[in-house]
Amino acid sequence: MVANRDIHLEARRGTVHALCGENGAGKSTLMKILYGMQKPDEGTIELDGEQVELNTPADAIARGIGMVHQHFMLADNLTVLENIVLGAEKLHGLGAAARRRIEELSRTYGLGVRTEARVEELGVADRQRVEILKVLYRGARTLILDEPTAVLVPQEVDALFENLRELKSEGLTVIFISHKLGEVLSVADDITVLRRGTTVSSVRPEETSRRELAELMVGSELPSPQTGESTVTTTPVLRVDDLRLTVADTANAVRRTVLDGISLTIHRGEVLGLAGVEGNGQSELVEAIMGLLDPDGGTVTLDGAELTHASTRSRREAGIGYIPEDRHRQALLLEAPLWENRILGHVTQRPNSRGALLDPAGARADTERIVAEYDVRTPGIEVTAASLSGGNQQKLVVGREMSHDPKLLIAAHPTRGVDVGAQAQIWEQIREARREGLAVLLISADLDELIGLSDTLRVMYRGQLVADADPATITPEELGGAMTGAASGHLTGDEDHATETGTPGPASGAAEAPDTPDGRGTPGGSADDGDDSKDGDGA
């Protein structure tokens, strides 16, 4: 199956060159070729006017090409210095010389990275800077950044773009892969659009618009997450009361508080959006609601029935659908065929079973329905999940979770790493189910999505719910400020009111957020996969 056909890409030295395309367009396959991870069947690659062969990543690194993957490749228990020099010890050793070189690069490009900090202490934005430093340390003059803004709040995106402008001012070339077309237009000097493995256009940002780029990518207008009229009822579906959770901090031999008195209610027909920088307790809250973590105190009630200590299977059968944040580790068996992945989490439910026995024929037939209904692009249901692009994997997961008429849907980053076409389909599925009475707990790093889809917005910071926001008036910038602890209480969307009103600090024993170089104190967190790691592999 052909992943790339007749690709033409020309990136000028000292520019940011954006690469856009829907899931399955061939972006990741092309980047793998440029980074020596995959060898092309035909065609040529020229670097600074010289034709080159890149058979391995070592070949690419030797030619000054570095790649920052969306799923960061860092060892949490090592320091920044140790992560950067790992595998490159011959360059400057392990001690003072290496530290001086890293600090010099950090100053030159405005990255502000602390060499002695442990990676597990860093927020997402700082981890990304460490990854950029890793490739710069190895002499990269061409950087490939795969969905670098997927987990950043607006303020962190602005800081990253400043870093990119500094890189190109020093003569470096950045290839910037993104589905966020507004960001592409903001930071890129040139844009190449791929569709179904072929270059369809190369444009300058000043010559195009978000709508035109969307039409080039998928042949349709740019979708909007707006939900329209309210469908919220007075019937509670999920109630979480005073939920508390501590976890072991093995590094310091103590327990730390990750959920500190969380209380919320979601009604029929309501989307409750939960905003927060990753690492502030959102993942633990979801896992406690799903029964994957046992809380120290508080209650979880679904449709009037308490499920605080019930099994995950019982919660599934009671009517909870779950789109987890990491589809590779939590939602799919990558080496299993699609119809087997359709069964996951719903083994005891029809059409996957008849009584106590599995029903493979029923699961296969329903997988065919999901593939058609959710536009999962695949040559068949017997192929493995690993053969699909990231967006098509996500559509399969969404289709599976919506297929059992859930009372509550927990959707963690439901459109991360998917193109505008798949994004529009997922948004419409959520909107349609909301109109029919579904209650939704939505966690997303895409603040436009969070504001657009939500009926109610809550902000989570250091394990506490610290602010409420009105989706009708709040801006992404104001919401991003609240997510980093700059505001609490009720956010009206009026900058004069969205100010500090006594943000509650972390509970005794709660994990303190480290101070980042820009002073925002972003709490730690790790990036989700969300990548198009199989982009263009025939899916």
Side-chain angles (χ1 to χ4, degrees), residues 34-47:
L34 295 182
Y35 194 53
M37 298 172 67
Q38 192 163 327
K39 192 170 182 179
D41 297 316
E42 57 185 73
T44 60
I45 300 171
E46 290 187 6
L47 190 62

Side-chain angles (χ1 to χ4, degrees), residues 173-216:
T173 301
V174 179
I175 298 178
F176 180 86
I177 304 171
S178 180
H179 291 116
K180 298 182 179 180
L181 302 185
E183 293 177 356
V184 165
L185 292 170
S186 171
V187 75
D189 298 291
D190 303 285
I191 305 168
T192 293
V193 181
L194 304 186
R195 187 193 297 171
R196 298 189 182 274
T198 300
T199 300
V200 295
S201 183
S202 293
V203 296
R204 296 283 179 89
E206 62 271 18
E207 299 170 348
T208 189
S209 66
R210 293 175 65 180
R211 174 176 293 183
E212 290 172 349
L213 282 178
E215 290 175 349
L216 286 170

Side-chain angles (χ1 to χ4, degrees), residues 33 75-76 113 186 209-210 213 225 231 244 275 310 319 326 359 363 401 457 483:
I33 291 171
D76 285 357
V113 171
S186 171
S209 66
R210 293 175 65 180
L213 282 178
T231 59
R244 302 182 302 280
D326 188 338
D359 183 3
E401 297 307 311
L457 272 174
M483 289 163 60

Side-chain angles (χ1 to χ4, degrees), residues 112-289:
V113 171
R114 296 171 293 143
T115 57
E116 297 307 314
R118 275 194 307 188
V119 166
E120 64 187 1
E121 300 170 352
L122 302 181
V124 175
D126 285 331
R127 293 180 185 222
Q128 188 174 73
R129 294 185 185 106
V130 174
E131 287 280 19
I132 292 172
L133 265 178
K134 274 176 60 178
V135 298
L136 293 175
Y137 185 78
R138 287 156 174 76
R141 301 290 296 169
T142 301
L143 278 69
I144 301 169
L145 303 184
D146 190 1
E147 293 285 348
T149 66
V151 293
L152 304 182
V153 300
Q155 292 86 344
E156 292 169 334
V157 172
D158 291 341
L160 172 65
F161 286 178
E162 283 302 312
N163 294 146
L164 298 188
R165 292 182 184 107
E166 191 65 37
L167 289 170
K168 74 175 186 178
S169 74
E170 296 290 331
L172 277 70
T173 301
V174 179
I175 298 178
F176 180 86
I177 304 171
S178 180
H179 291 116
K180 298 182 179 180
L181 302 185
E183 293 177 356
V184 165
L185 292 170
S186 171
V187 75
D189 298 291
D190 303 285
I191 305 168
T192 293
V193 181
L194 304 186
R195 187 193 297 171
R196 298 189 182 274
T198 300
T199 300
V200 295
S201 183
S202 293
V203 296
R204 296 283 179 89
E206 62 271 18
E207 299 170 348
T208 189
S209 66
R210 293 175 65 180
R211 174 176 293 183
E212 290 172 349
L213 282 178
E215 290 175 349
L216 286 170
M217 287 169 57
V218 297
S220 61
E221 293 187 3
L222 191 69
S224 168
Q226 298 301 319
T227 54
E229 64 182 33
S230 175
T231 59
V232 182
T233 71
T234 58
T235 305
V237 175
L238 175 73
R239 289 184 62 93
V240 175
D241 293 298
D242 195 27
L243 204 65
R244 302 182 302 280
L245 176 68
T246 60
V247 297
D249 183 345
T250 53
N252 298 304
V254 296
R255 294 189 69 81
R256 61 185 179 89
T257 301
V258 293
L259 298 178
D260 183 16
I262 299 294
S263 296
L264 56 83
T265 301
I266 310 178
H267 303 84
R268 279 180 55 86
E270 179 181 19
V271 176
L272 189 152
L274 188 61
V277 176
E278 291 194 23
N280 278 268
Q282 306 96 304
S283 296
E284 289 83 359
L285 174 60
V286 166
E287 291 180 2
I289 295 172

Side-chain angles (χ1 to χ4, degrees), residues 331-360:
L332 296 169
L333 295 175
L334 292 177
E335 300 308 317
L338 301 191
W339 72 269
E340 290 185 10
N341 276 282
R342 191 266 172 264
I343 295 172
L344 293 181
H346 303 278
V347 174
T348 62
Q349 296 168 286
R350 296 184 66 86
N352 301 324
S353 65
R354 292 182 179 178
L357 299 177
L358 283 177
D359 183 3

Side-chain angles (χ1 to χ4, degrees), residues 5 8 35 91 99 107 207 230 256 273 321 385 395 397 423 466 477 501 525:
R5 177 188 289 109
H8 297 278
Y35 194 53
L91 293 177
R99 183 178 294 105
R107 285 193 304 271
E207 299 170 348
S230 175
R256 61 185 179 89
K395 286 188 282 187
V397 172
Q423 191 178 55
V466 299
E477 290 73 22
T501 58

Side-chain angles (χ1 to χ4, degrees), residues 52-66:
V52 297
E53 286 193 16
L54 305 172
N55 297 314
T56 66
D59 291 341
I61 292 169
R63 294 283 185 172
I65 299 174

